[in-house]
Amino acid sequence: MQTDVLPRASQRALALPPLVFLLLLALLPLARLLAEGWGGLNLAVLDDAYLQQRLWWSLAQAAITCVLTASLGLPLAWVLARLDFPGRCLLLRLILLPFVMPTLVAGMGVLTLFGPRGISGLDLQDTPWLLLYGNLFYNLPLVIRASVDGLLALPASRLLAARTLGASPWRAFWRIELPALLPWLASSLCLVFLYCFSGFGLALLLGGQQWATVEVEIYTLVAYELNLADAGVLALAAMLVSATAALLYAGVEARLAVPAKTEPLALLKADSLRRQLLLAAALSILLAVTAAPLLALVWRALQVEYEAWALLWNADTALALFNTLRFSAMALLLASLLGVLHALAARRNVMMRAAAFLPFVVSPVCVAFGLLLLYPGWSASLLLLVSSYALLAYPFIAKSLAAALDALPDNLLCAARTLGASPLRVWWRVSWPLLRPAFRRGLAFAAATTVGEFAVTLFLSRPEWLTLTTLIYQHLGRPGQGNLEAALLLSVLLMLFALLAFIAIEWPEKNHAPDR
């Protein structure tokens, strides 16, 4: 039986601030957006061949990415989960590094590798492959990590029984491992589809005019054509697709939430030629897909002339850096408060746990568009901008803390209360020290989100609120080699911030065993 960290009445009171925040910043703007799309519903808009192409391509590129990530992710995950080799633990930590990179950094890395004058020598500009490669860079680590977790959760006794009965490794995988892995794979692929379909930054940077997605088209209709009616119809269609994927994800997650006993399987030594070839192929694919864009970005930045580095000390960069850090710090303060309150309130409340997923499954473009429609007088408000950042960031803290709360040892809490400690003292002296690592990890993910936020900033920002992401985008929109080099250097600077956040996420605790 779980011991409550706080009394039930306190938990209900703590639920009020995050629920009101979600209502004002997510649910009401989405409802306003739905009303805009439904009120001006004109099915003739969807008959337009150009808009149909945008919608179908958005669906197609998300589906193709799911197929590619599943095809590559399954064998790579098997190698990482089953083979023992030097540096395996470190590699499992580094696998999520692309996932915390801002979209503009990823886009610049892909362009540096496969864009005009890319270091690979292969120009994929104005082709669909550029966006698909960017999607793969972002989402392959997600599928690999989920599949590795699924393989490690498989009871060793089932696999050993199959091998004892004479099943070959391939037959054991097909009949035992793959069926057990499917829920984990399905969960990650739902997220991949959701991220690709509702993604904005990568599609804006890599899609070009021909291969832009529906999210980019919504932004174009609002920002450049002021066509709110057609944008509302497209947003309504996009939200229906996203809601379907989100429901599938929630259903699969509910199945995975059932606790299961873990029986770790002994790792196989990579001592045969076949296993060594498998390991070499897996590492080569990881290098080509997840590391190459970042390495290309750093390599090209090192080749920039020394004079171009002076850009990092000019007034625009200083203003963008100041605003980025200022907005992120304010958003993180708000996100930390909301995340802690939400996690505590969700201790025994399934609906509160589900509510934490809402900002994950809603497109930032749709949220920003809904905020513009619902609060037109606040569209250039710093409070609205920072609150929007916090909306996208605080679920990372809430989810991380909620998982840590579930893992709190009940005997410690009971012992502290038996000795006469008040609930507040138990929280501060017993619970919080145990929760601090989870809070730090969630805060680091939230920091990476706020520092690299792009879509909301384009909708709600003012010219004097220049950030690193908007400054990079401005340089990319101007002609000349100097502007390209400026965007490159600023992308490296933004990458360093994301790397610091990643180090904070994966830095081992004091009692953590060193990686091999």
Side-chain angles (χ1 to χ4, degrees), residues 70 80 98 105 165 169 171 209 220 224 230 236 244 253 285 302 326 330 334 371 379 406 418 422 449 460 472 497:
L80 295 180
V105 171
L165 295 173
R171 186 172 178 82
Q209 291 293 326
T220 303
Y224 296 104
D230 289 357
L236 178 59
T244 302
E253 279 292 298
I285 293 173
L302 294 176
R326 178 167 63 114
M330 290 188 289
L334 180 57
L371 289 171
S379 59
D406 290 339
T418 302
S422 65
T449 300
L460 303 179
I472 292 171
F497 281 116

Side-chain angles (χ1 to χ4, degrees), residues 371-382 384:
L371 289 171
L372 283 178
L373 294 173
L374 186 64
Y375 308 114
W378 292 73
S379 59
S381 163
L382 181 61
L384 190 62

Side-chain angles (χ1 to χ4, degrees), residues 69 83 148 176 226 238 268 322 369 422 442 445 474 476-477 487:
T69 53
L83 295 187
V148 167
I176 305 295
L226 297 178
L268 303 173
F322 172 71
F369 187 15
S422 65
F445 270 114
Q474 286 181 10
L476 288 174

Side-chain angles (χ1 to χ4, degrees), residues 21-40:
F21 184 79
L22 285 175
L23 177 67
L24 296 177
L25 271 294
L27 293 176
L28 288 181
L30 290 176
R32 178 65 181 87
L33 183 58
L34 286 172
E36 181 72 22
W38 190 263

Side-chain angles (χ1 to χ4, degrees), residues 126-404:
D126 298 323
T127 71
W129 304 111
L130 203 63
L131 178 57
L132 291 174
Y133 179 79
N135 288 343
L136 202 59
F137 166 81
Y138 252 118
N139 295 288
L140 182 60
L142 185 65
V143 173
I144 293 175
R145 189 62 178 259
S147 300
V148 167
D149 290 342
L151 287 168
L152 295 179
L154 177 67
S157 56
R158 293 173 58 186
L159 206 54
L160 292 175
R163 292 177 181 174
T164 303
L165 295 173
S168 65
W170 171 249
R171 186 172 178 82
F173 172 79
W174 188 256
R175 300 298 297 271
I176 305 295
E177 291 179 296
L178 183 59
L181 186 60
L182 283 179
W184 299 81
L185 181 62
S187 173
S188 62
L189 289 180
C190 286
L191 281 181
V192 169
F193 184 89
L194 198 59
Y195 291 151
C196 292
F197 181 81
S198 61
F200 175 71
L202 276 182
L204 182 66
L205 199 59
L206 304 179
Q209 291 293 326
Q210 185 177 358
W211 303 104
T213 62
V214 68
E215 297 292 325
V216 176
E217 188 61 30
I218 293 172
Y219 168 71
T220 303
L221 289 172
V222 173
Y224 296 104
E225 301 180 20
L226 297 178
N227 188 346
L228 299 185
D230 289 357
V233 175
L234 280 183
L236 178 59
M239 286 176 60
L240 290 175
V241 175
S242 297
T244 302
L247 287 174
L248 290 174
Y249 173 73
V252 177
E253 279 292 298
R255 178 178 175 182
L256 293 178
V258 178
K261 183 180 178 181
T262 301
E263 302 175 31
L265 184 69
L267 297 176
L268 303 173
K269 293 288 185 182
D271 50 7
S272 67
L273 178 61
R274 176 175 171 271
R275 292 174 183 173
Q276 290 172 356
L277 289 176
L278 280 175
L279 179 60
L283 296 179
S284 300
I285 293 173
L286 283 174
L287 177 64
V289 175
T290 62
L294 300 180
L295 295 176
L297 192 61
V298 174
W299 176 257
R300 182 57 63 85
L302 294 176
Q303 293 179 323
V304 172
E305 295 293 334
Y306 176 77
E307 292 76 12
W309 287 85
L311 163 82
L312 299 180
W313 287 270
N314 69 19
D316 283 345
T317 304
L319 176 63
L321 181 59
F322 172 71
N323 284 334
T324 298
L325 297 178
R326 178 167 63 114
F327 298 160
S328 298
M330 290 188 289
L332 287 175
L333 286 175
L334 180 57
S336 298
L337 175 62
L338 292 169
V340 172
L341 294 179
H342 198 127
L344 290 173
R347 172 73 167 167
R348 289 178 178 272
N349 192 318
V350 177
M351 293 303 296
M352 280 296 294
R353 285 178 178 267
F357 283 93
L358 180 61
F360 284 152
V361 301
V362 176
S363 160
V365 170
C366 290
V367 169
F369 187 15
L371 289 171
L372 283 178
L373 294 173
L374 186 64
Y375 308 114
W378 292 73
S379 59
S381 163
L382 181 61
L383 177 62
L384 190 62
L385 180 66
V386 171
S387 298
S388 301
Y389 276 31
L391 174 70
L392 301 175
Y394 100 83
F396 289 105
I397 300 174
K399 282 173 57 61
S400 183
L401 279 178

Side-chain angles (χ1 to χ4, degrees), residues 321 324-325 448 451 468 492-502:
L321 181 59
T324 298
L325 297 178
V451 167
L468 285 176
V492 172
L493 179 62
L494 194 58
M495 183 176 70
L496 291 177
F497 281 116
L499 186 59
L500 289 175
F502 179 79

